[in-house]
């Protein structure tokens, strides 16, 4: 490949731009007296260095002719002028132009060797004492270390952006750490697949039966299954899967598992008549959730136990006063829920659409405000928090923003056991979406004396992340709850609401009523054309909807002809086609274009955003926005997330996907004025009742299903519950054992 490229050799004269995140650099190189602009990923390049670049000349519409470097080899400066330019560039902390001149005058061409290997000699230079000399040497070694790391990883097929991520996590000794254990790369910190890390390990001479290899296979299987919602796995299934992955015997796998348990990297438990294995972090999350809820129950229950009858009478009296004041009457179930929310330290309110959850929440809020309690409201997604705020008339935040991510702490939250949230009551909506890790961080950020009220719909899909928190809390029987099941008359006029309840009850929805808000269009060969027409023309013209804000296409899967990947590509090129005034860039396999609707695929605590002059940090899994600018020179993609303006490096932009269509899982927690549900041909396991119910309940005003009656019937008839291996229920009831064997 190199033979097909041009090559240049020269000295870095100046650096106009360098991204510390992506390594993208714009520099001027002196090649035989000619100044040439060179662009490319060259993070460790500094002024004064001699570089050897391979690539081709390109013509930039604004900046003219540039040399695009695909590969770059770096040599340290080897003459006094180059060394002076290098040291005076600021690359090494503690050395400015004046100090650089004195060092070069004293040591000439040997200046860099002295800095690296004989820093004590620097103390003879005016302005440098012994301590500063060693600090300068350490800074130099860091710079040299980064270069060494980049070179080492490039030889093993690891990209620059991946190398930067590893270097930021492991530091100067990254190469040594990964050489000692290349399977570190398939930890969740780096996200390499086991086969990819395994290939590198083989190149480094690791044997197939190495303990590190077998142990890595065990942890990889556990980590991979968290993506399927499991916080643990049965020991026998884990052993079998890890054995298949690494090709070693079950005996070797079991021995590795035992050693990992002894080293406290894994935790073995027994409940429900089986042995289960946890990664330590997921065991701690579920165990500590149970411990914290038990603590809250013990603290607050004692305060109400002796006065329960009196408190209940006072609550009912206050509810009656509310009814007179606002001119409405609560149903008996709603009154029961408000009373239980007051009497119990932790309380769960569930119910489907139209059953009065919002009215009940507002009743609770009015009571606690009457009692002068400080209340905080939150939900797992931005859209869910916004809706909660709209229906209560009070501020609501996402759980992440409520806990306040510290961007310099690797995703840790400001509020925790040592610094709990300042509230007496916290109400969390859309609890079905909350996974074990997020709920663990929430409960540890709440005072044991604070009341916790959880609201959700138990018939919806469980969280995307690992755990089944809402279901486990309810099924444990250890937390008080009320399920609202009466549909109010006004809500029953909506066919969306009526059909949602029919689906939950295993009945076919009414699909032949064309005068309501629930519509069915039979699938044909032109279904995708009909989809585009609905999104771009028919719904906007009929109802004045803005497609990006008001209409959401939902599908069960990402893959296939009717999957979100395919729909997004087709729909984007029709709704937001390429043009000269719309900048676009290809990030891995995805083309991003100004004007595109996009969704964030994982939590990124480091992204800084601005809204109304205020600064915040963190864009989270499921956040949806619109690309407003792409700066190719600086390799920055700017996205507007409901007036939060966030700047993405190209590396971070790898986590963005088009969002004209999203999966049902990704839509959870959001409501849209109009939803188009596409039921095409997918894997059989995707045709089940909870998924259809969750999709239908995303629509506020209009729902259109494109599919067949047979597919709807298959989903309604299949009441298969998503199986998740979790331990929270048993930790709450105390019906478990921690063991040291498998």
């Amino acid at each position: 490949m190199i033979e097909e490229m041009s090559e240049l050799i020269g000295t870095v004269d100046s650096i106009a731009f360098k991204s510390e995140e992506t390594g993208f650099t714009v520099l001027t190189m002196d090649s035989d007296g000619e100044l040439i602009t060179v662009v490319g990923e060259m993070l460790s390049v500094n002024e004064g260095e001699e570089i050897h670049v391979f690539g081709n000349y390109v013509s930039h519409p604004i900046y003219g002719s540039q040399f695009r470097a695909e590969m770059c080899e770096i040599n340290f400066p080897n003459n006094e002028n180059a060394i002076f330019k290098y040291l005076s560039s600021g690359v090494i902390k503690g050395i400015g132009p004046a100090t650089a001149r004195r060092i070069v005058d004293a040591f000439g061409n040997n200046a860099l060797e002295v800095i690296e290997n004989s820093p004590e000699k620097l103390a003879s230079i005016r302005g440098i004492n012994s301590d500063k000399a060693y600090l300068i040497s350490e800074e130099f070694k860091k710079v040299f270390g980064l270069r060494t790391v980049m070179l080492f990883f490039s030889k093993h097929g690891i990209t620059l952006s991946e190398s930067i991520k590893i270097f930021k996590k492991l530091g100067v000794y990254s190469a040594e750490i990964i050489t000692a254990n290349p399977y570190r790369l398939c930890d969740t910190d780096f996200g390499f697949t086991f086969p990819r890390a395994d290939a590198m390990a083989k190149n480094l001479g690791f044997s197939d039966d190495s303990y590190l290899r077998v142990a890595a296979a065990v942890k990889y299987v556990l980590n991979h299954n968290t993506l399927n919602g499991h916080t643990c796995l049965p020991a026998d299934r884990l052993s079998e899967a890890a054995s298949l992955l690494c090709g070693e015997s079950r005996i070797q796998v079991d021995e590795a598992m035992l050693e990992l348990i002894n080293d406290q990297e894994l935790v073995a438990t027994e409940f429900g008549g089986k042995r289960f294995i946890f990664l330590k972090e997921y065991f701690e999350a579920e165990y500590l959730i149970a411990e914290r809820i038990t603590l809250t129950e013990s603290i607050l229950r004692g305060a109400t136990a002796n006065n329960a009858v009196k408190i209940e009478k006072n609550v009912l009296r206050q509810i009656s006063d509310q009814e007179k004041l606002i001119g409405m009457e609560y149903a008996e179930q709603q009154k029961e829920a408000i009373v239980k929310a007051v009497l119990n330290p932790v309380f769960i309110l569930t119910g489907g659409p139209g059953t009065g959850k919002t009215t009940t929440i507002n009743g609770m809020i009015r009571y606690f405000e009457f009692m002068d309690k400080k209340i905080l409201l939150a939900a797992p997604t931005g859209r869910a928090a916004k809706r909660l705020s709209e229906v209560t008339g009070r501020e609501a935040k996402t759980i992440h923003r409520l806990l306040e991510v510290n961007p310099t702490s690797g995703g840790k939250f400001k509020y925790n056991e040592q610094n709990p949230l300042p509230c007496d009551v916290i109400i969390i909506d859309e609890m079905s979406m909350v996974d074990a890790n997020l709920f663990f961080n929430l409960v540890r950020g709440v005072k044991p004396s604070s009341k916790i009220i959880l609201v959700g719909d138990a018939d919806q899909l469980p969280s995307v992340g690992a755990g089944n928190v809402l279901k486990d809390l309810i099924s444990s029987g250890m937390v008080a709850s009320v399920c609202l099941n009466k549909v109010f008359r006004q809500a029953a006029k909506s066919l969306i609401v009526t059909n949602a309840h029919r689906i939950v009850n295993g009945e076919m929805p009414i699909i032949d009523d064309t005068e309501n808000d629930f519509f069915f269009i039979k699938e044909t060969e032109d279904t995708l054309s009909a989809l585009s027409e609905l999104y771009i023309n028919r719904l906007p013209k009929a109802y004045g909807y803005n497609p990006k804000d008001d209409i959401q296409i939902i599908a069960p899967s990402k893959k296939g002809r009717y999957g979100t990947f395919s729909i997004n590509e087709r729909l984007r090129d029709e709704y937001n086609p390429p043009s000269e005034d719309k900048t676009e860039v290809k990030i891995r396999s995805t083309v991003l274009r100004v004007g595109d609707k996009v969704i964030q695929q994982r939590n990124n605590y480091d992204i800084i955003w601005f809204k109304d002059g205020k600064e915040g940090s963190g864009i989270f899994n499921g956040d949806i926005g619109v690309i407003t600018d792409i700066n190719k020179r600086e390799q920055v993609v700017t996205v507007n997330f409901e007036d939060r303006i966030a700047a993405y490096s190209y590396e971070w932009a790898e986590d963005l996907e088009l969002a004209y269509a999203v999966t049902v899982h990704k839509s959870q927690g959001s409501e849209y004025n109009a939803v188009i549900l596409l039921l095409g041909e997918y894997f059989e396991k995707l045709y089940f009742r909870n998924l259809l119910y969750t999709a239908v309940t995303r629509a506020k005003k209009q729902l259109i299903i494109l599919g067949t009656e047979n597919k709807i019937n298959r989903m309604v008839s299949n009441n298969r519950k998503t199986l998740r291996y979790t331990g929270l229920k048993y930790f709450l009831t105390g019906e478990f054992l921690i063991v040291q064997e498998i």
Side-chain angles (χ1 to χ4, degrees):
M1 182 177 177
I2 293 177
E3 288 74 19
E4 299 173 0
M5 299 180 184
S6 301
E7 59 181 291
L8 293 174
I9 299 175
T11 303
V12 179
D13 181 75
S14 61
I15 294 177
F17 174 80
K18 181 188 290 186
S19 168
E20 296 299 325
E21 294 297 333
T22 66
F24 180 76
T25 303
V26 179
L27 60 82
T28 301
M29 182 176 76
D30 184 341
S31 180
D32 293 329
E34 182 183 0
L35 294 179
I36 300 169
T37 300
V38 181
V39 300
E41 294 180 341
M42 301 175 285
L43 178 67
S44 54
V45 168
N46 295 289
E47 291 180 3
E49 292 179 332
E50 183 182 277
I51 60 174
H52 190 178
V53 291
F54 302 86
N56 290 289
Y57 282 97
V58 296
S59 180
H60 191 282
I62 298 175
Y63 303 108
S65 178
Q66 299 177 334
F67 190 87
R68 174 75 197 198
E70 301 296 335
M71 297 179 63
C72 177
E73 297 175 356
I74 308 169
N75 297 317
F76 270 128
N78 56 12
N79 61 67
E80 290 188 15
N81 285 336
I83 291 172
F84 168 72
K85 193 171 187 64
Y86 174 75
L87 292 178
S88 62
S89 69
V91 66
I92 300 174
K93 292 179 182 177
I95 299 180
T99 304
R101 172 51 62 198
R102 287 194 285 271
I103 292 173
V104 172
D105 287 347
F107 303 110
N109 291 343
N110 296 321
L112 298 181
E113 183 181 344
V114 168
I115 292 172
E116 182 179 9
N117 299 315
S118 305
E120 68 278 1
K121 293 181 180 180
L122 292 176
S124 64
I125 303 295
R126 181 164 54 87
I128 301 178
N129 58 28
S130 180
D131 289 342
K132 186 175 181 179
Y134 281 98
L135 286 173
I136 288 172
S137 182
E138 287 302 308
E139 284 297 322
F140 178 82
K141 288 174 183 176
K142 285 182 183 178
V143 174
F144 185 75
L146 175 59
R147 179 178 287 112
T148 303
V149 167
M150 300 299 142
L151 182 61
F152 168 77
F153 286 129
S154 68
K155 290 178 179 178
H156 291 279
I158 295 175
T159 67
L160 177 67
S161 60
E162 290 170 335
S163 299
I164 293 170
K165 186 183 293 185
I166 297 167
F167 184 81
K168 284 182 176 179
K169 187 72 179 178
L170 302 179
V172 178
Y173 299 106
S174 299
E176 289 84 352
I177 292 170
I178 297 302
T179 298
N181 182 8
Y183 295 101
R184 286 284 301 272
L185 293 175
C186 55
D187 289 349
T188 52
D189 286 334
F190 309 118
F192 283 53
T193 63
F194 178 82
R196 192 174 172 200
D198 200 31
M200 183 174 178
K202 283 180 168 57
N203 289 337
L204 291 169
F206 281 75
S207 62
D208 285 350
D209 61 354
S210 159
Y211 163 73
L212 290 176
R213 180 172 184 268
V214 180
V218 171
K219 290 189 289 184
Y220 185 79
V221 171
L222 281 168
N223 270 314
H224 181 75
N225 274 277
T226 63
L227 303 177
N228 297 322
H230 306 298
T231 58
C232 58
L233 288 177
D236 55 347
R237 292 198 179 189
L238 172 59
S239 178
E240 180 183 7
S243 176
L244 288 171
L245 179 64
C246 67
E248 300 303 308
S249 71
R250 291 278 295 272
I251 293 174
Q252 287 171 295
V253 170
D254 288 349
E255 288 175 351
M257 285 168 60
L258 281 171
E259 191 160 342
L260 287 166
I261 290 166
N262 290 332
D263 290 342
Q264 298 184 354
E265 291 188 57
L266 304 182
V267 179
T269 61
E270 186 177 286
F271 52 76
K274 276 189 174 184
R275 293 278 166 86
F276 289 86
I277 309 297
F278 287 80
L279 289 164
K280 184 180 179 181
E281 65 177 289
Y282 285 96
F283 170 80
E284 289 182 344
E286 292 199 310
Y287 182 81
L288 292 173
I289 287 170
E291 189 177 66
R292 199 59 187 263
I293 284 178
T294 302
L295 177 61
T296 296
E297 290 272 353
S298 65
I299 290 174
L300 294 187
R301 193 169 294 284
T304 60
N306 298 326
N307 300 304
V309 175
K310 182 179 178 181
I311 293 171
E312 181 174 350
K313 287 181 178 178
N314 288 337
V315 175
L316 290 172
R317 188 181 304 113
Q318 211 280 323
I319 289 174
S320 178
D321 291 342
Q322 275 191 41
E323 291 175 324
K324 293 172 185 175
L325 184 65
I326 60 180
M328 58 87 69
E329 186 175 341
Y330 291 102
E332 288 305 312
Q333 273 191 329
Q334 292 175 317
K335 292 178 183 179
E336 178 191 1
I338 297 171
V339 169
K340 284 191 174 182
V342 174
L343 287 174
N344 290 280
V346 183
F347 173 72
I348 299 172
L349 175 68
T350 62
T355 58
K357 287 201 303 290
T358 296
T359 301
T360 308
I361 293 170
N362 281 324
M364 294 174 186
I365 292 172
R366 290 188 191 101
Y367 176 81
F368 289 122
E369 287 180 340
F370 174 76
M371 297 300 292
D372 203 27
K373 302 293 185 182
K374 181 172 175 54
I375 308 165
L376 292 177
L377 306 178
T381 67
R383 282 181 174 265
K386 183 178 180 181
R387 190 177 73 251
L388 181 60
S389 181
E390 289 169 350
V391 299
T392 62
R394 293 153 179 88
E395 182 183 26
K397 297 181 178 180
T398 64
I399 297 172
H400 286 92
R401 293 190 182 97
L402 186 72
L403 296 173
E404 292 190 28
V405 178
N406 183 345
T408 62
S409 65
K412 292 183 180 179
F413 293 102
K414 172 183 174 182
Y415 291 101
N416 50 40
E417 299 94 336
Q418 287 75 40
N419 181 37
L421 288 161
C423 69
D424 303 304
V425 181
I426 185 165
I427 300 176
I428 306 297
D429 198 10
E430 294 289 356
M431 260 303 296
S432 62
M433 294 185 64
V434 179
D435 61 49
N437 273 334
L438 182 56
F439 193 59
F440 162 62
N441 280 295
L442 176 70
V443 296
R444 66 194 292 245
V446 176
K447 293 180 293 186
S449 59
S450 295
K451 188 179 294 291
I452 300 172
I453 297 172
L454 309 174
V455 183
D457 186 341
D459 291 313
Q460 286 189 24
L461 293 170
S463 59
V464 174
N468 210 352
V469 176
L470 183 62
K471 180 178 180 294
D472 285 348
L473 289 171
I474 295 171
S475 61
S476 74
M478 304 302 289
V479 179
S481 65
V482 168
C483 176
L484 302 176
N485 52 31
K486 177 187 174 183
V487 179
F488 286 88
R489 187 181 306 166
Q490 187 66 28
K493 294 178 181 178
S494 164
L495 203 53
I496 293 173
V497 172
T498 299
N499 280 338
H501 287 275
R502 290 176 68 91
I503 290 166
V504 164
N505 294 327
E507 303 171 38
M508 268 293 285
I510 299 165
I511 61 174
D512 57 359
D513 184 344
T514 60
E515 302 299 322
N516 210 294
D517 53 7
F518 188 110
F519 304 95
F520 172 73
I521 299 176
K522 192 170 183 179
E523 177 186 331
T524 68
E525 285 299 315
D526 294 326
T527 289
L528 293 179
S529 297
L531 177 71
S532 299
E533 179 65 15
L534 281 166
Y535 184 85
I536 297 171
N537 295 315
R538 286 178 59 185
L539 287 174
K541 286 179 181 177
Y543 302 101
Y545 292 149
N546 179 325
K548 287 179 186 174
D549 297 332
D550 299 315
I551 307 171
Q552 185 60 60
I553 298 167
I554 297 176
S557 175
K558 288 185 174 183
K559 299 178 181 178
R561 184 185 177 209
Y562 294 102
T564 58
F565 284 152
S566 176
I567 298 168
N568 275 318
E569 290 295 334
R570 175 188 177 117
L571 199 63
R572 185 268 299 277
D573 286 340
E574 294 181 24
Y575 179 74
N576 185 36
S579 67
E580 291 184 0
D581 61 342
K582 294 177 187 172
T583 309
E584 64 180 56
V585 63
K586 189 171 186 178
I587 306 287
R588 289 194 175 178
S589 60
T590 303
V591 173
L592 299 177
R593 183 177 300 147
V594 170
D596 275 341
K597 183 177 181 179
V598 291
I599 185 170
Q600 176 75 7
Q601 293 298 308
R602 69 178 185 88
N603 293 339
N604 187 324
Y605 302 100
D606 298 324
I607 295 178
I608 304 298
W609 51 262
F610 296 89
K611 180 179 180 180
D612 299 329
K614 296 180 180 178
E615 178 181 317
S617 64
I619 299 295
F620 304 109
N621 189 355
D623 284 354
I624 291 179
V626 176
I627 296 175
T628 58
D629 184 61
I630 297 174
N631 188 322
K632 287 190 172 182
R633 181 177 177 84
E634 297 185 5
Q635 294 200 321
V636 171
V637 177
T638 303
V639 185
N640 183 338
F641 292 95
E642 295 185 335
D643 297 327
R644 288 179 295 124
I645 311 301
Y648 281 71
S649 65
Y650 278 10
E651 178 189 358
W652 287 342
E654 292 175 3
D655 295 326
L656 293 174
E657 287 182 3
L658 298 177
Y660 301 96
V662 298
T663 62
V664 178
H665 272 98
K666 287 293 186 184
S667 72
Q668 198 171 354
S670 299
E671 282 188 345
Y672 309 91
N673 284 330
V675 167
I676 305 171
L677 173 59
L678 185 61
L679 297 180
E681 289 299 327
Y682 308 106
F683 293 119
E684 186 62 32
K685 66 178 184 179
L686 293 173
Y687 292 97
F688 63 100
R689 188 184 299 172
N690 284 42
L691 189 139
L692 178 61
Y693 172 77
T694 301
V696 167
T697 53
R698 298 310 90 210
K700 289 196 290 186
K701 296 181 179 179
Q702 271 88 27
L703 174 74
I704 301 168
I705 296 181
L706 294 174
T708 65
E709 290 185 50
N710 178 54
K711 287 170 185 170
I712 296 173
N713 186 52
R714 281 161 64 191
M715 297 182 83
V716 171
S717 302
N718 181 6
N719 196 27
R720 175 183 64 83
K721 300 291 184 181
T722 305
L723 173 64
R724 292 197 168 192
Y725 294 116
T726 63
L728 178 57
K729 171 184 172 181
Y730 299 96
F731 298 154
L732 283 162
T733 61
E735 300 171 326
F736 73 98
L737 289 172
I738 298 176
V739 296
Q740 293 298 315
E741 52 193 35
I742 56 174

